[in-house]
Amino acid sequence: MSDHDGQAGRGTRTADTPPRPAARTATAAEREKARGVRRMKAIAAAFLGVATVVFLLSRWAEARGAGAWSGYVQAAAEAGMVGAIADWFAVTALFRRPLGLPIPHTAIIPTRKDALGDSLGEFVGDNFLSEAVVRKRLAHVDLVRRFGGWLSEPRHAERVTEEVSALARAALTILRDEDVQSVFGHAITRRVSARQVAQPVGALLGRVVADGGHHGLVDLVVEKAYAWLVDNREAVLRVVSEESPDWSPKFLDRTVANRVHRELVRFAADVRDDPDHAARQAVDAFLADTAEDMQRDPRMIAQIEALRDRTLAHPQVQELIASVWAAARAMLVEATEDPSSELRARATAAIRSFGTRLADDPRMRAKAEKWLADGAAYIVTTYQAEITALITDTVRAWDPAETSRKIELHVGRDLQFIRINGTVVGSLVGLLIYTIGRLF
């Protein structure tokens, strides 16, 4: 009997029937599997043919008056034929209608494809996408330790760094500078505007003054003032002379200006050389009072906060903030492109260190395993329906005949052993039954 019968549901196409997809060219692997299926079908058919020939010869021998042995052979061959035909029918009914006859419950795969897809999706969801199964499997494979060991190897860490660098460059290339600069500037402005400035700065200034940290700055200012007064004597004399009355004689203006300059130079020198000078103490007191007012005086606090807002709103400040992104972007692109850059070297070292800790640190590994298990459990419990729908929808979209052909290519060769076994087992069972009948 032939295994190449008509497909299920073959008939006249209606206007609402979607067109059958065009036949595609089989791959080399599919052609090899098809040859294997045809070979096993031929072998199974040969078993049936041998059983048939033996049956006919045993009947002929019995009719010619052969001994009792012919009955045993005939019973075995007959049962083998029945087993072979029954198993041929069962195997064929999976993929098509035997002999093209509309026998109920045949062509199971083409006619029940959608139900099989639903069952497959449900089976996968219940047995593979359950939280208990996922957690047990992740605990069994020790994925975190193995991943940590993989990361700790230099060539793997360098490969990860290279891939991350490529992704970073792609992201920096796709992003528009104007959009990022706008978001970057607004984010900085919003965060700074939302924070109190006066009180933290006042507290910092108070600690600096209490610790004497400002003395170095005062020394620098006094030293610069003294040097400027010494180097710019004529400028001081000119200023003093210009401020003198019109009726004052010139020689008197000059004398007064010289005296003023000498006193200023002497005062600057005294302040520079005397750490306990009254002017220094006045600066200390002024800074301490200012720090206290910045923390306690509502009026000063409001003035400083207003100054903060005006400063942030200034166009040049916004341009400066935007330029920070441009500089950072250029630096990142350059660093990610250069395999020998310090950034990539540090990234590789950090990845290797992280992998070593994952592999060797039990506490960190336990945390990572918990995060991984929780994340996987969340995904399978939250998106189980979507994942199983991918399976069922994919199966529904398959053409029935193509689905039957694909499945037969994968399992048809093994199914032919059912026919062979049916022939052999049927013969043995038939022989056993005939023998028991003869004995009793």
Side-chain angles (χ1 to χ4, degrees), residues 40-60:
M40 289 307 302
K41 284 183 177 181
I43 294 174
F47 270 76
L48 174 59
V50 170
T52 303
V53 170
V54 171
F55 173 77
L56 295 176
L57 290 176
S58 63
R59 287 295 299 269
W60 177 80

Side-chain angles (χ1 to χ4, degrees), residues 78-413:
E78 183 178 9
M81 292 169 57
V82 173
I85 295 173
D87 287 338
W88 166 83
F89 182 90
V91 171
T92 304
L94 289 173
F95 306 103
R96 58 188 64 84
R97 298 194 185 279
L99 303 176
L101 300 176
I103 303 173
H105 303 293
T106 57
I108 294 174
I109 291 177
T111 58
R112 298 282 296 166
K113 172 180 65 69
D114 294 346
L116 292 174
D118 295 339
S119 299
L120 177 61
E122 184 178 351
F123 174 80
V124 171
D126 293 341
N127 295 277
F128 295 93
L129 299 179
S130 66
E131 180 176 350
V133 172
V134 170
R135 288 185 181 274
K136 181 179 179 180
R137 184 58 181 169
L138 288 176
H140 178 70
V141 298
D142 198 12
L143 185 60
V144 173
R145 183 195 295 272
R146 294 165 61 185
F147 180 65
W150 186 86
L151 278 183
S152 63
E153 296 185 14
R155 60 190 182 92
H156 294 155
E158 292 174 358
R159 179 181 176 184
V160 172
T161 302
E162 183 178 354
E163 296 297 333
V164 172
S165 299
L167 289 175
R169 288 195 301 273
L172 292 172
T173 303
I174 293 173
L175 292 175
R176 295 177 54 193
D177 285 348
E178 308 84 52
D179 297 337
V180 177
Q181 289 172 357
S182 177
V183 173
F184 188 63
H186 289 163
I188 294 179
T189 302
R190 184 171 59 254
R191 289 184 63 86
V192 174
S193 298
R195 298 180 64 87
Q196 295 290 333
V197 174
Q199 293 174 331
V201 172
L204 176 62
L205 178 60
R207 288 195 296 271
V208 171
V209 173
D211 296 339
H214 65 294
H215 290 162
L217 179 61
V218 173
D219 292 341
L220 178 62
V221 171
V222 173
E223 181 66 33
K224 290 295 183 181
Y226 175 81
W228 187 88
L229 288 172
V230 172
D231 296 337
N232 296 274
R233 177 175 178 274
E234 291 300 326
V236 175
L237 297 179
R238 184 170 61 254
V239 171
V240 175
S241 299
E242 290 175 353
E243 295 298 326
S244 62
D246 294 338
W247 48 267
S248 176
K250 295 297 182 182
F251 75 93
L252 182 60
D253 295 341
R254 187 75 177 180
T255 302
V256 172
N258 286 325
R259 180 63 182 269
V260 170
H261 179 261
R262 286 196 301 272
E263 290 298 323
L264 288 174
V265 171
R266 183 185 63 79
F267 177 78
D270 292 342
V271 175
R272 181 195 62 184
D273 299 333
D274 185 4
D276 297 324
H277 195 279
R280 287 178 176 268
Q281 295 178 359
V283 171
D284 294 347
F286 170 76
L287 293 177
D289 292 341
T290 301
E292 185 67 19
D293 291 341
M294 292 176 68
Q295 299 176 72
R296 302 285 188 270
D297 186 0
R299 183 168 174 271
M300 176 168 282
I301 292 174
Q303 290 176 343
I304 293 176
E305 303 299 340
L307 176 63
R308 174 204 63 194
D309 295 339
R310 290 196 300 271
T311 302
L312 289 174
H314 197 280
Q316 291 185 348
V317 174
Q318 292 297 319
E319 291 177 3
L320 175 63
I321 295 175
S323 67
V324 172
W325 160 251
R329 178 183 180 279
M331 181 185 67
L332 288 173
V333 170
E334 181 179 357
T336 54
E337 287 178 345
D338 183 8
S340 61
S341 66
E342 181 69 16
L343 177 63
R344 290 185 59 163
R346 288 180 177 272
T348 302
I351 291 172
R352 289 190 62 194
S353 175
F354 176 69
T356 302
R357 291 187 62 191
L358 280 181
D360 300 336
D361 188 346
R363 293 181 59 187
M364 184 173 183
R365 187 168 62 253
K367 289 183 179 179
E369 287 174 349
K370 184 178 183 303
W371 294 338
L372 178 63
D374 290 344
Y378 173 80
I379 291 174
V380 298
T381 54
T382 305
Y383 300 102
Q384 184 188 76
E386 286 78 2
I387 298 173
T388 56
L390 175 64
I391 298 174
T392 57
D393 293 345
T394 301
V395 174
R396 288 178 182 273
W398 288 349
D399 176 68
E402 182 67 11
T403 302
S404 180
R405 187 188 70 83
K406 286 182 177 180
I407 297 177
E408 187 174 12
L409 282 178
H410 285 82
V411 301
R413 184 176 182 275

Side-chain angles (χ1 to χ4, degrees), residues 3 20 202 322:
D3 287 290
R20 190 179 298 275

